[in-house]
Amino acid sequence: MKPHFCRPVLYISTLLEQASNVDNNHDVYPMTALDEITLRTPDALLNGLATRQVISNCLPDFEDKYELYACDIQHILISIRIATSGNIIEFEFKCPECASIDSYEINIQKNLPLLSAKKWFTHLEMPDFVLTFYPHSYRIQNDFALLKFKIDRQLFQLSKLPNPEEYTGIAIQLVETKTKLTLKYYSDAIQSITMKQNDIKVMNRTHINEWFQQADTSQQNQIIAFIDEAIKETYLPNFNLTCDSCKKNIEIPMDMDFSKQFRDNIMFLSEEEILESLEKMGKQITAIREDLMKSVWFMRGSISYGDSLFLTNNDRKIINKIVEDNMEASKKMGMPIF
Ligand SMILES: [Zn+2]
């Protein structure tokens, strides 16, 4: 439950609601210290719980009332980002060409209206069939992403072994499993197949899965391309930047899902590098907790430690400013600071 000092900053309707002309208003709260801790908890990031937890904390409607759909994730996470720290994302990027590190910024508020889930509700006309679709639930998308991550990570680890050619058999098996999972993932997004010849409409999940697994590659590719296009519309467009030093143009995909970012970041790291980055996250959590303890101490017990976990970053900045001002005033007057 949100403490009384937390107020929603934005109200949004989801892309799925917009696409189906449902008028809804979901409260969007800024992230709190608790969310910042969650976002530095490796296991929660790896299994996708971190993203779900932050969403249910910041959009309480999604805690129990509504199911989360993958097509809404980016839109919701951008809204949370805006509610927490405004419209601009600033980030540093290392140029893959010349290795120079520069700062860039992107206005996410300006790009938010570009996102849409409308394509999910159109149909795909093929020579013999007409297909309709339905977006994946976040649970299905995340389960698939996690399995895919585990396979890709194993393939990467095999490639780093002293004699990778000895493991070709295992690698082929892994790739086959990944292909099967991928086909299943895409077929899960097919809502119905209507055969033009006799106008029979198939909606049974098992039949749809079987049909899709056996369809010829060109049909599969056409359907996959359609679904990819529908997914792409629910994401921010790729960010185009030009390196200041070498003038190379680089396109960066924008994915706001914390769990996806975490998996991408550790995918090609060595075990030691992963441990190092986990240690760094542990230290960041300690720093946040120390900062909260300091607030609790200096607020003279008016905020409990439990309350302090629900302070936003802005709240904490204000409290830290009060603490500093008090210290300054006490020093000037030569008073002891407790
Ligand atoms: Zn460069």
PDB file of all heavy atoms in Angstrom, residues 21-52:
ATOM      1  N   ASN A  21     -10.465   1.149 -28.013  1.00  0.00           N
ATOM      2  CA  ASN A  21     -11.355   2.273 -27.691  1.00  0.00           C
ATOM      3  C   ASN A  21     -11.994   2.180 -26.311  1.00  0.00           C
ATOM      4  O   ASN A  21     -13.166   2.511 -26.125  1.00  0.00           O
ATOM      5  CB  ASN A  21     -12.469   2.404 -28.738  1.00  0.00           C
ATOM      6  CG  ASN A  21     -11.902   2.828 -30.071  1.00  0.00           C
ATOM      7  OD1 ASN A  21     -11.022   3.691 -30.125  1.00  0.00           O
ATOM      8  ND2 ASN A  21     -12.368   2.197 -31.140  1.00  0.00           N
ATOM      9  N   VAL A  22     -11.222   1.681 -25.354  1.00  0.00           N
ATOM     10  CA  VAL A  22     -11.697   1.668 -23.961  1.00  0.00           C
ATOM     11  C   VAL A  22     -11.089   2.884 -23.269  1.00  0.00           C
ATOM     12  O   VAL A  22      -9.889   3.107 -23.363  1.00  0.00           O
ATOM     13  CB  VAL A  22     -11.232   0.378 -23.231  1.00  0.00           C
ATOM     14  CG1 VAL A  22     -11.650   0.395 -21.770  1.00  0.00           C
ATOM     15  CG2 VAL A  22     -11.775  -0.845 -23.943  1.00  0.00           C
ATOM     16  N   ASP A  23     -11.960   3.654 -22.619  1.00  0.00           N
ATOM     17  CA  ASP A  23     -11.466   4.851 -21.958  1.00  0.00           C
ATOM     18  C   ASP A  23     -11.170   4.510 -20.506  1.00  0.00           C
ATOM     19  O   ASP A  23     -12.083   4.204 -19.752  1.00  0.00           O
ATOM     20  CB  ASP A  23     -12.538   5.947 -22.055  1.00  0.00           C
ATOM     21  CG  ASP A  23     -11.923   7.317 -21.823  1.00  0.00           C
ATOM     22  OD1 ASP A  23     -10.683   7.414 -21.889  1.00  0.00           O
ATOM     23  OD2 ASP A  23     -12.688   8.256 -21.566  1.00  0.00           O
ATOM     24  N   ASN A  24      -9.910   4.529 -20.136  1.00  0.00           N
ATOM     25  CA  ASN A  24      -9.556   4.196 -18.759  1.00  0.00           C
ATOM     26  C   ASN A  24      -8.475   5.141 -18.269  1.00  0.00           C
ATOM     27  O   ASN A  24      -7.710   5.681 -19.064  1.00  0.00           O
ATOM     28  CB  ASN A  24      -9.054   2.751 -18.696  1.00  0.00           C
ATOM     29  CG  ASN A  24      -9.697   1.990 -17.566  1.00  0.00           C
ATOM     30  OD1 ASN A  24     -10.184   2.586 -16.599  1.00  0.00           O
ATOM     31  ND2 ASN A  24      -9.703   0.678 -17.672  1.00  0.00           N
ATOM     32  N   ASN A  25      -8.396   5.326 -16.967  1.00  0.00           N
ATOM     33  CA  ASN A  25      -7.367   6.176 -16.377  1.00  0.00           C
ATOM     34  C   ASN A  25      -6.662   5.426 -15.267  1.00  0.00           C
ATOM     35  O   ASN A  25      -7.263   5.148 -14.241  1.00  0.00           O
ATOM     36  CB  ASN A  25      -8.007   7.434 -15.773  1.00  0.00           C
ATOM     37  CG  ASN A  25      -8.120   8.535 -16.793  1.00  0.00           C
ATOM     38  OD1 ASN A  25      -7.149   8.809 -17.509  1.00  0.00           O
ATOM     39  ND2 ASN A  25      -9.273   9.155 -16.877  1.00  0.00           N
ATOM     40  N   HIS A  26      -5.415   5.081 -15.488  1.00  0.00           N
ATOM     41  CA  HIS A  26      -4.652   4.405 -14.444  1.00  0.00           C
ATOM     42  C   HIS A  26      -3.702   5.404 -13.792  1.00  0.00           C
ATOM     43  O   HIS A  26      -2.987   6.124 -14.487  1.00  0.00           O
ATOM     44  CB  HIS A  26      -3.839   3.253 -15.037  1.00  0.00           C
ATOM     45  CG  HIS A  26      -4.671   2.272 -15.805  1.00  0.00           C
ATOM     46  ND1 HIS A  26      -5.530   1.387 -15.184  1.00  0.00           N
ATOM     47  CD2 HIS A  26      -4.811   2.056 -17.143  1.00  0.00           C
ATOM     48  CE1 HIS A  26      -6.136   0.666 -16.109  1.00  0.00           C
ATOM     49  NE2 HIS A  26      -5.731   1.057 -17.306  1.00  0.00           N
ATOM     50  N   ASP A  27      -3.704   5.423 -12.459  1.00  0.00           N
ATOM     51  CA  ASP A  27      -2.778   6.302 -11.726  1.00  0.00           C
ATOM     52  C   ASP A  27      -1.344   5.839 -11.971  1.00  0.00           C
ATOM     53  O   ASP A  27      -1.075   4.648 -11.895  1.00  0.00           O
ATOM     54  CB  ASP A  27      -2.979   6.163 -10.202  1.00  0.00           C
ATOM     55  CG  ASP A  27      -4.395   6.471  -9.777  1.00  0.00           C
ATOM     56  OD1 ASP A  27      -5.204   6.803 -10.660  1.00  0.00           O
ATOM     57  OD2 ASP A  27      -4.663   6.369  -8.567  1.00  0.00           O
ATOM     58  N   VAL A  28      -0.453   6.790 -12.230  1.00  0.00           N
ATOM     59  CA  VAL A  28       0.969   6.456 -12.324  1.00  0.00           C
ATOM     60  C   VAL A  28       1.716   7.197 -11.221  1.00  0.00           C
ATOM     61  O   VAL A  28       1.708   8.424 -11.181  1.00  0.00           O
ATOM     62  CB  VAL A  28       1.567   6.850 -13.693  1.00  0.00           C
ATOM     63  CG1 VAL A  28       3.010   6.367 -13.799  1.00  0.00           C
ATOM     64  CG2 VAL A  28       0.736   6.286 -14.836  1.00  0.00           C
ATOM     65  N   TYR A  29       2.332   6.430 -10.316  1.00  0.00           N
ATOM     66  CA  TYR A  29       3.117   7.007  -9.220  1.00  0.00           C
ATOM     67  C   TYR A  29       4.598   6.992  -9.596  1.00  0.00           C
ATOM     68  O   TYR A  29       5.032   6.134 -10.371  1.00  0.00           O
ATOM     69  CB  TYR A  29       2.956   6.156  -7.959  1.00  0.00           C
ATOM     70  CG  TYR A  29       1.595   6.225  -7.321  1.00  0.00           C
ATOM     71  CD1 TYR A  29       0.543   5.436  -7.785  1.00  0.00           C
ATOM     72  CD2 TYR A  29       1.366   7.053  -6.228  1.00  0.00           C
ATOM     73  CE1 TYR A  29      -0.704   5.478  -7.191  1.00  0.00           C
ATOM     74  CE2 TYR A  29       0.121   7.101  -5.625  1.00  0.00           C
ATOM     75  CZ  TYR A  29      -0.907   6.313  -6.105  1.00  0.00           C
ATOM     76  OH  TYR A  29      -2.138   6.349  -5.515  1.00  0.00           O
ATOM     77  N   PRO A  30       5.352   7.936  -9.019  1.00  0.00           N
ATOM     78  CA  PRO A  30       6.803   7.871  -9.260  1.00  0.00           C
ATOM     79  C   PRO A  30       7.424   6.676  -8.553  1.00  0.00           C
ATOM     80  O   PRO A  30       6.859   6.159  -7.594  1.00  0.00           O
ATOM     81  CB  PRO A  30       7.326   9.176  -8.643  1.00  0.00           C
ATOM     82  CG  PRO A  30       6.260   9.666  -7.734  1.00  0.00           C
ATOM     83  CD  PRO A  30       4.960   9.073  -8.171  1.00  0.00           C
ATOM     84  N   MET A  31       8.603   6.250  -9.029  1.00  0.00           N
ATOM     85  CA  MET A  31       9.327   5.161  -8.370  1.00  0.00           C
ATOM     86  C   MET A  31       9.803   5.626  -7.007  1.00  0.00           C
ATOM     87  O   MET A  31      10.101   6.805  -6.812  1.00  0.00           O
ATOM     88  CB  MET A  31      10.540   4.773  -9.210  1.00  0.00           C
ATOM     89  CG  MET A  31      10.243   3.729 -10.245  1.00  0.00           C
ATOM     90  SD  MET A  31      11.797   3.051 -10.807  1.00  0.00           S
ATOM     91  CE  MET A  31      11.850   3.761 -12.425  1.00  0.00           C
ATOM     92  N   THR A  32       9.899   4.671  -6.090  1.00  0.00           N
ATOM     93  CA  THR A  32      10.363   4.998  -4.741  1.00  0.00           C
ATOM     94  C   THR A  32      11.707   4.315  -4.479  1.00  0.00           C
ATOM     95  O   THR A  32      12.196   3.564  -5.330  1.00  0.00           O
ATOM     96  CB  THR A  32       9.359   4.473  -3.700  1.00  0.00           C
ATOM     97  OG1 THR A  32       9.324   3.055  -3.817  1.00  0.00           O
ATOM     98  CG2 THR A  32       7.970   5.042  -3.934  1.00  0.00           C
ATOM     99  N   ALA A  33      12.243   4.556  -3.270  1.00  0.00           N
ATOM    100  CA  ALA A  33      13.512   3.918  -2.899  1.00  0.00           C
ATOM    101  C   ALA A  33      13.388   2.395  -2.982  1.00  0.00           C
ATOM    102  O   ALA A  33      14.313   1.715  -3.412  1.00  0.00           O
ATOM    103  CB  ALA A  33      13.899   4.343  -1.485  1.00  0.00           C
ATOM    104  N   LEU A  34      12.214   1.889  -2.610  1.00  0.00           N
ATOM    105  CA  LEU A  34      11.996   0.436  -2.670  1.00  0.00           C
ATOM    106  C   LEU A  34      12.164  -0.082  -4.105  1.00  0.00           C
ATOM    107  O   LEU A  34      12.787  -1.113  -4.346  1.00  0.00           O
ATOM    108  CB  LEU A  34      10.576   0.122  -2.160  1.00  0.00           C
ATOM    109  CG  LEU A  34      10.209  -1.339  -1.999  1.00  0.00           C
ATOM    110  CD1 LEU A  34      11.083  -1.997  -0.932  1.00  0.00           C
ATOM    111  CD2 LEU A  34       8.739  -1.486  -1.601  1.00  0.00           C
ATOM    112  N   ASP A  35      11.606   0.671  -5.067  1.00  0.00           N
ATOM    113  CA  ASP A  35      11.753   0.275  -6.476  1.00  0.00           C
ATOM    114  C   ASP A  35      13.217   0.343  -6.911  1.00  0.00           C
ATOM    115  O   ASP A  35      13.696  -0.511  -7.652  1.00  0.00           O
ATOM    116  CB  ASP A  35      10.918   1.192  -7.383  1.00  0.00           C
ATOM    117  CG  ASP A  35       9.436   1.091  -7.067  1.00  0.00           C
ATOM    118  OD1 ASP A  35       8.944  -0.035  -6.893  1.00  0.00           O
ATOM    119  OD2 ASP A  35       8.773   2.140  -6.980  1.00  0.00           O
ATOM    120  N   GLU A  36      13.916   1.379  -6.431  1.00  0.00           N
ATOM    121  CA  GLU A  36      15.338   1.505  -6.806  1.00  0.00           C
ATOM    122  C   GLU A  36      16.142   0.321  -6.290  1.00  0.00           C
ATOM    123  O   GLU A  36      17.080  -0.139  -6.936  1.00  0.00           O
ATOM    124  CB  GLU A  36      15.911   2.819  -6.267  1.00  0.00           C
ATOM    125  CG  GLU A  36      15.441   4.025  -7.065  1.00  0.00           C
ATOM    126  CD  GLU A  36      15.962   5.314  -6.483  1.00  0.00           C
ATOM    127  OE1 GLU A  36      17.157   5.348  -6.112  1.00  0.00           O
ATOM    128  OE2 GLU A  36      15.179   6.280  -6.376  1.00  0.00           O
ATOM    129  N   ILE A  37      15.744  -0.171  -5.108  1.00  0.00           N
ATOM    130  CA  ILE A  37      16.421  -1.363  -4.560  1.00  0.00           C
ATOM    131  C   ILE A  37      16.070  -2.590  -5.413  1.00  0.00           C
ATOM    132  O   ILE A  37      16.944  -3.368  -5.797  1.00  0.00           O
ATOM    133  CB  ILE A  37      16.045  -1.570  -3.068  1.00  0.00           C
ATOM    134  CG1 ILE A  37      16.677  -0.455  -2.230  1.00  0.00           C
ATOM    135  CG2 ILE A  37      16.482  -2.941  -2.572  1.00  0.00           C
ATOM    136  CD1 ILE A  37      16.263  -0.430  -0.772  1.00  0.00           C
ATOM    137  N   THR A  38      14.776  -2.721  -5.747  1.00  0.00           N
ATOM    138  CA  THR A  38      14.352  -3.854  -6.595  1.00  0.00           C
ATOM    139  C   THR A  38      15.150  -3.874  -7.902  1.00  0.00           C
ATOM    140  O   THR A  38      15.553  -4.931  -8.381  1.00  0.00           O
ATOM    141  CB  THR A  38      12.847  -3.740  -6.911  1.00  0.00           C
ATOM    142  OG1 THR A  38      12.135  -3.654  -5.686  1.00  0.00           O
ATOM    143  CG2 THR A  38      12.340  -4.927  -7.706  1.00  0.00           C
ATOM    144  N   LEU A  39      15.364  -2.681  -8.482  1.00  0.00           N
ATOM    145  CA  LEU A  39      16.058  -2.610  -9.772  1.00  0.00           C
ATOM    146  C   LEU A  39      17.554  -2.884  -9.667  1.00  0.00           C
ATOM    147  O   LEU A  39      18.268  -2.850 -10.667  1.00  0.00           O
ATOM    148  CB  LEU A  39      15.827  -1.246 -10.420  1.00  0.00           C
ATOM    149  CG  LEU A  39      14.379  -0.984 -10.823  1.00  0.00           C
ATOM    150  CD1 LEU A  39      14.245   0.342 -11.530  1.00  0.00           C
ATOM    151  CD2 LEU A  39      13.864  -2.107 -11.711  1.00  0.00           C
ATOM    152  N   ARG A  40      18.026  -3.120  -8.440  1.00  0.00           N
ATOM    153  CA  ARG A  40      19.436  -3.499  -8.258  1.00  0.00           C
ATOM    154  C   ARG A  40      19.536  -4.891  -7.637  1.00  0.00           C
ATOM    155  O   ARG A  40      20.553  -5.245  -7.064  1.00  0.00           O
ATOM    156  CB  ARG A  40      20.144  -2.451  -7.390  1.00  0.00           C
ATOM    157  CG  ARG A  40      20.394  -1.163  -8.162  1.00  0.00           C
ATOM    158  CD  ARG A  40      20.754  -0.020  -7.262  1.00  0.00           C
ATOM    159  NE  ARG A  40      20.966   1.201  -8.037  1.00  0.00           N
ATOM    160  CZ  ARG A  40      19.983   1.988  -8.486  1.00  0.00           C
ATOM    161  NH1 ARG A  40      18.723   1.665  -8.245  1.00  0.00           N
ATOM    162  NH2 ARG A  40      20.254   3.078  -9.173  1.00  0.00           N
ATOM    163  N   THR A  41      18.451  -5.658  -7.750  1.00  0.00           N
ATOM    164  CA  THR A  41      18.424  -7.009  -7.198  1.00  0.00           C
ATOM    165  C   THR A  41      18.538  -8.012  -8.352  1.00  0.00           C
ATOM    166  O   THR A  41      17.586  -8.198  -9.117  1.00  0.00           O
ATOM    167  CB  THR A  41      17.109  -7.233  -6.414  1.00  0.00           C
ATOM    168  OG1 THR A  41      16.965  -6.160  -5.478  1.00  0.00           O
ATOM    169  CG2 THR A  41      17.115  -8.557  -5.676  1.00  0.00           C
ATOM    170  N   PRO A  42      19.738  -8.622  -8.518  1.00  0.00           N
ATOM    171  CA  PRO A  42      20.010  -9.420  -9.718  1.00  0.00           C
ATOM    172  C   PRO A  42      18.975 -10.510 -10.035  1.00  0.00           C
ATOM    173  O   PRO A  42      18.529 -10.613 -11.172  1.00  0.00           O
ATOM    174  CB  PRO A  42      21.376 -10.031  -9.424  1.00  0.00           C
ATOM    175  CG  PRO A  42      22.001  -9.109  -8.440  1.00  0.00           C
ATOM    176  CD  PRO A  42      20.895  -8.550  -7.615  1.00  0.00           C
ATOM    177  N   ASP A  43      18.570 -11.306  -9.011  1.00  0.00           N
ATOM    178  CA  ASP A  43      17.635 -12.398  -9.297  1.00  0.00           C
ATOM    179  C   ASP A  43      16.303 -11.880  -9.817  1.00  0.00           C
ATOM    180  O   ASP A  43      15.726 -12.442 -10.745  1.00  0.00           O
ATOM    181  CB  ASP A  43      17.401 -13.255  -8.032  1.00  0.00           C
ATOM    182  CG  ASP A  43      18.564 -14.194  -7.792  1.00  0.00           C
ATOM    183  OD1 ASP A  43      19.384 -14.351  -8.721  1.00  0.00           O
ATOM    184  OD2 ASP A  43      18.662 -14.750  -6.684  1.00  0.00           O
ATOM    185  N   ALA A  44      15.818 -10.800  -9.183  1.00  0.00           N
ATOM    186  CA  ALA A  44      14.533 -10.222  -9.603  1.00  0.00           C
ATOM    187  C   ALA A  44      14.627  -9.677 -11.027  1.00  0.00           C
ATOM    188  O   ALA A  44      13.671  -9.751 -11.800  1.00  0.00           O
ATOM    189  CB  ALA A  44      14.109  -9.127  -8.643  1.00  0.00           C
ATOM    190  N   LEU A  45      15.805  -9.150 -11.381  1.00  0.00           N
ATOM    191  CA  LEU A  45      15.990  -8.635 -12.743  1.00  0.00           C
ATOM    192  C   LEU A  45      16.047  -9.785 -13.741  1.00  0.00           C
ATOM    193  O   LEU A  45      15.437  -9.736 -14.802  1.00  0.00           O
ATOM    194  CB  LEU A  45      17.276  -7.814 -12.823  1.00  0.00           C
ATOM    195  CG  LEU A  45      17.186  -6.426 -12.205  1.00  0.00           C
ATOM    196  CD1 LEU A  45      18.577  -5.852 -12.006  1.00  0.00           C
ATOM    197  CD2 LEU A  45      16.338  -5.499 -13.079  1.00  0.00           C
ATOM    198  N   LEU A  46      16.784 -10.826 -13.371  1.00  0.00           N
ATOM    199  CA  LEU A  46      16.970 -11.944 -14.285  1.00  0.00           C
ATOM    200  C   LEU A  46      15.639 -12.614 -14.614  1.00  0.00           C
ATOM    201  O   LEU A  46      15.336 -12.891 -15.767  1.00  0.00           O
ATOM    202  CB  LEU A  46      17.943 -12.967 -13.676  1.00  0.00           C
ATOM    203  CG  LEU A  46      18.305 -14.132 -14.577  1.00  0.00           C
ATOM    204  CD1 LEU A  46      19.115 -13.654 -15.773  1.00  0.00           C
ATOM    205  CD2 LEU A  46      19.096 -15.191 -13.812  1.00  0.00           C
ATOM    206  N   ASN A  47      14.794 -12.841 -13.591  1.00  0.00           N
ATOM    207  CA  ASN A  47      13.560 -13.593 -13.867  1.00  0.00           C
ATOM    208  C   ASN A  47      12.364 -12.715 -14.245  1.00  0.00           C
ATOM    209  O   ASN A  47      11.273 -13.237 -14.479  1.00  0.00           O
ATOM    210  CB  ASN A  47      13.226 -14.530 -12.694  1.00  0.00           C
ATOM    211  CG  ASN A  47      12.900 -13.760 -11.427  1.00  0.00           C
ATOM    212  OD1 ASN A  47      12.502 -12.609 -11.456  1.00  0.00           O
ATOM    213  ND2 ASN A  47      13.084 -14.409 -10.290  1.00  0.00           N
ATOM    214  N   GLY A  48      12.567 -11.409 -14.305  1.00  0.00           N
ATOM    215  CA  GLY A  48      11.494 -10.531 -14.778  1.00  0.00           C
ATOM    216  C   GLY A  48      10.609  -9.985 -13.666  1.00  0.00           C
ATOM    217  O   GLY A  48       9.773  -9.117 -13.904  1.00  0.00           O
ATOM    218  N   LEU A  49      10.826 -10.476 -12.451  1.00  0.00           N
ATOM    219  CA  LEU A  49       9.997 -10.030 -11.329  1.00  0.00           C
ATOM    220  C   LEU A  49      10.184  -8.531 -11.075  1.00  0.00           C
ATOM    221  O   LEU A  49       9.233  -7.828 -10.708  1.00  0.00           O
ATOM    222  CB  LEU A  49      10.375 -10.831 -10.069  1.00  0.00           C
ATOM    223  CG  LEU A  49       9.425 -10.698  -8.898  1.00  0.00           C
ATOM    224  CD1 LEU A  49       8.100 -11.367  -9.235  1.00  0.00           C
ATOM    225  CD2 LEU A  49      10.016 -11.334  -7.638  1.00  0.00           C
ATOM    226  N   ALA A  50      11.413  -8.033 -11.280  1.00  0.00           N
ATOM    227  CA  ALA A  50      11.704  -6.621 -11.000  1.00  0.00           C
ATOM    228  C   ALA A  50      10.779  -5.719 -11.804  1.00  0.00           C
ATOM    229  O   ALA A  50      10.164  -4.790 -11.257  1.00  0.00           O
ATOM    230  CB  ALA A  50      13.167  -6.323 -11.332  1.00  0.00           C
ATOM    231  N   THR A  51      10.643  -5.999 -13.102  1.00  0.00           N
ATOM    232  CA  THR A  51       9.794  -5.169 -13.958  1.00  0.00           C
ATOM    233  C   THR A  51       8.342  -5.238 -13.482  1.00  0.00           C
ATOM    234  O   THR A  51       7.666  -4.214 -13.364  1.00  0.00           O
ATOM    235  CB  THR A  51       9.911  -5.641 -15.424  1.00  0.00           C
ATOM    236  OG1 THR A  51      11.284  -5.514 -15.814  1.00  0.00           O
ATOM    237  CG2 THR A  51       9.042  -4.819 -16.349  1.00  0.00           C
ATOM    238  N   ARG A  52       7.872  -6.464 -13.180  1.00  0.00           N
ATOM    239  CA  ARG A  52       6.475  -6.613 -12.738  1.00  0.00           C
ATOM    240  C   ARG A  52       6.233  -5.904 -11.416  1.00  0.00           C
ATOM    241  O   ARG A  52       5.209  -5.262 -11.228  1.00  0.00           O
ATOM    242  CB  ARG A  52       6.135  -8.098 -12.590  1.00  0.00           C
ATOM    243  CG  ARG A  52       5.801  -8.771 -13.893  1.00  0.00           C
ATOM    244  CD  ARG A  52       4.774  -9.899 -13.753  1.00  0.00           C
ATOM    245  NE  ARG A  52       4.849 -10.623 -12.507  1.00  0.00           N
ATOM    246  CZ  ARG A  52       5.507 -11.785 -12.345  1.00  0.00           C
ATOM    247  NH1 ARG A  52       6.160 -12.317 -13.354  1.00  0.00           N
ATOM    248  NH2 ARG A  52       5.506 -12.407 -11.187  1.00  0.00           N
TER     249      ARG A  52
END
